Amino acid sequence: MLGDVLGLTPDETLAYGELITMPSATAAEFAAALSAFGTSPGEAHLLLRRLEEYGLAARITGDERRFAAAPPAIALGALLARQQDEVRHAEIELSRLDEAYRVAAAGRGPTDVVDVIHGEDAVRHRFEQVQLGARERVDAFVRPPVIVTTSQENSAENKAVARGVLYRVVVERSMLESHDVTVDEAIEATDAGEEVRFADQVPLRLIVVDRRLALMPLTSSGDVVGALLVRESTLLDALIALFENVWDQATPMLVGTSGLTGDVAGQVDDEDAQVLGLLLAGLTDQAVAKQLGTSLRTVQRRVRALLDLAGVETRMQLGWHAANNGWVQAGVDGQLPPTPDSD
């Protein structure tokens, strides 16, 4: 990891890590130390020379055949300071370019607000690019069909979340029913810091980045693979308002008992909480059983226990009871959507 930050190759990182454990070494001795990795004396000498160029190694006075590692705090500290300077300069240049872009954007005509992107590769590249460029937040609608990138393939999302970018994702319930999105994936995303909610229907596939641009499909049918990149405009404002409205009405992802509040906390286990969360998302008993990899009979038994705990008879009443008694976080209107009565 440190090598990646400092711009060292894996071989260089390994070589420096080995050299600091030795008082000094010739190329032959160093090759012997790296024999488990199949390093020849010639390759060892090249590695030592590269470490010397980086200031991570120096030759021993009086015997230039021998190399010794430079102190990590000094050598790596210098490399890190250089990297930080480059990042600061890049940020300054980015701010300058961003300001120039904003000035130019203010003078755009109505036809300059939207870019049309054609082709699967171009759409995938832009989809990754906008996420990698996110600074603060990403809001997204997820609905079928998945055309370009599946959730498992969206590595840009993982990288953005790791940088501290806030993700708010609304998933259409049908994707849970079809298993295009699994409970395990939703839990993993939530554990990573994302906020996930479910809605009966999501109006379109959409991603909004930093409230500065949005990416959406060229057509709703998906017959033509393409996308629209929407810049700051009243159209973008409308898309943001649409997302907020759907988000407020969507059902929060319930991850185990940690997502429960009120008088139900401590009275159910994680599996009961998962069943409750999927019921509130609108799934049938059959779909819940499929998602959790358990039997329909087990799900029905747990549903009956939840109904008894709430003192109600139907799943719709269970949804209202959960909302009105503060079992889980509710939407903006203080209500959770009703769940189906049966399969």
Side-chain angles (χ1 to χ4, degrees):
M1 180 64 180
L2 183 61
D4 293 337
V5 173
L6 298 176
L8 302 177
T9 67
D11 286 345
E12 291 164 352
T13 303
L14 174 67
Y16 181 69
E18 184 62 35
L19 188 60
I20 62 175
T21 67
M22 308 172 70
S24 66
T26 63
E29 292 169 347
F30 197 50
L34 297 176
S35 59
F37 303 97
T39 305
S40 68
E43 292 169 337
H45 187 260
L46 287 176
L47 283 171
L48 289 170
R49 288 290 301 274
R50 290 210 295 270
L51 293 180
E52 184 181 25
E53 292 172 2
Y54 292 138
L56 299 176
R59 297 174 189 263
I60 298 296
T61 303
D63 188 352
E64 292 197 351
R65 297 175 306 161
R66 306 190 71 83
F67 292 79
I74 296 176
L76 295 179
L79 280 179
L80 185 59
R82 188 185 311 159
Q83 291 280 350
Q84 290 171 337
D85 285 341
E86 291 175 356
V87 170
R88 279 193 291 270
H89 289 313
E91 289 176 342
I92 293 172
E93 180 65 10
L94 175 60
S95 296
R96 185 188 68 79
L97 293 174
D98 195 47
E99 180 60 26
Y101 175 83
R102 285 178 176 275
V103 171
R108 288 194 183 106
T111 59
D112 296 324
V113 170
V114 178
D115 287 345
V116 180
I117 304 165
H118 294 284
E120 183 174 327
D121 290 341
V123 172
R124 180 183 295 109
H125 173 73
R126 191 58 62 91
F127 181 68
E128 294 176 352
Q129 185 183 55
V130 297
Q131 292 180 89
L132 292 174
R135 298 181 185 180
E136 297 178 0
R137 63 191 301 168
V138 172
D139 296 329
F141 285 152
V142 180
R143 59 164 296 176
V146 177
I147 299 174
V148 176
T149 304
T150 66
S151 58
Q152 296 92 336
E153 297 170 337
N154 190 8
S155 60
E157 178 178 341
N158 298 331
K159 293 176 182 176
V161 171
R163 292 200 321 272
V165 175
L166 171 64
Y167 266 72
R168 297 190 301 168
V169 182
V170 181
V171 180
E172 186 169 297
R173 186 185 71 191
S174 62
M175 298 200 71
L176 279 173
E177 294 171 337
S178 64
H179 236 57
D180 287 329
V181 172
T182 67
V183 170
D184 288 343
E185 289 171 350
I187 291 175
E188 184 179 345
T190 302
D191 289 343
E194 298 185 34
E195 296 182 31
V196 180
R197 294 187 179 186
F198 298 103
D200 186 45
Q201 287 187 321
V202 170
L204 75 163
R205 293 187 298 279
L206 174 71
I207 181 170
V208 180
V209 177
D210 292 331
R211 299 186 168 231
R212 295 175 56 193
L213 57 85
L215 193 67
M216 57 192 290
L218 183 60
T219 64
S220 58
S221 64
D223 295 337
V224 178
V225 179
L228 300 176
L229 181 68
V230 182
R231 300 189 182 90
E232 290 176 291
S233 59
T234 53
L235 174 57
L236 178 61
D237 293 341
L239 292 172
I240 293 172
L242 175 64
F243 177 86
E244 294 296 342
N245 181 263
V246 175
W247 173 261
D248 287 341
Q249 302 299 324
T251 304
M253 175 67 188
L254 181 59
V255 182
T257 56
S258 61
L260 295 173
T261 59
D263 59 3
V264 74
Q267 299 187 59
V268 299
D269 59 21
D270 282 338
E271 291 187 24
D272 284 332
Q274 285 188 334
V275 170
L276 176 61
L278 292 174
L279 287 177
L280 296 178
L283 268 65
T284 63
D285 291 356
Q286 184 103 24
V288 172
K290 183 178 179 181
Q291 275 287 344
L292 299 182
T294 189
S295 69
L296 178 60
R297 184 181 296 275
T298 297
V299 170
Q300 290 172 336
R301 175 174 56 81
R302 290 185 177 276
V303 171
R304 182 69 259 173
L306 289 168
L307 292 172
D308 291 342
L309 181 62
V312 298
E313 290 299 323
T314 69
R315 288 159 176 76
M316 182 176 292
Q317 292 171 339
L318 176 62
W320 282 102
H321 183 90
N324 294 334
N325 290 273
W327 281 17
V328 295
Q329 178 187 359
V332 70
D333 59 357
Q335 300 175 357
L336 292 170
T339 55
D341 285 324
S342 66
D343 291 272

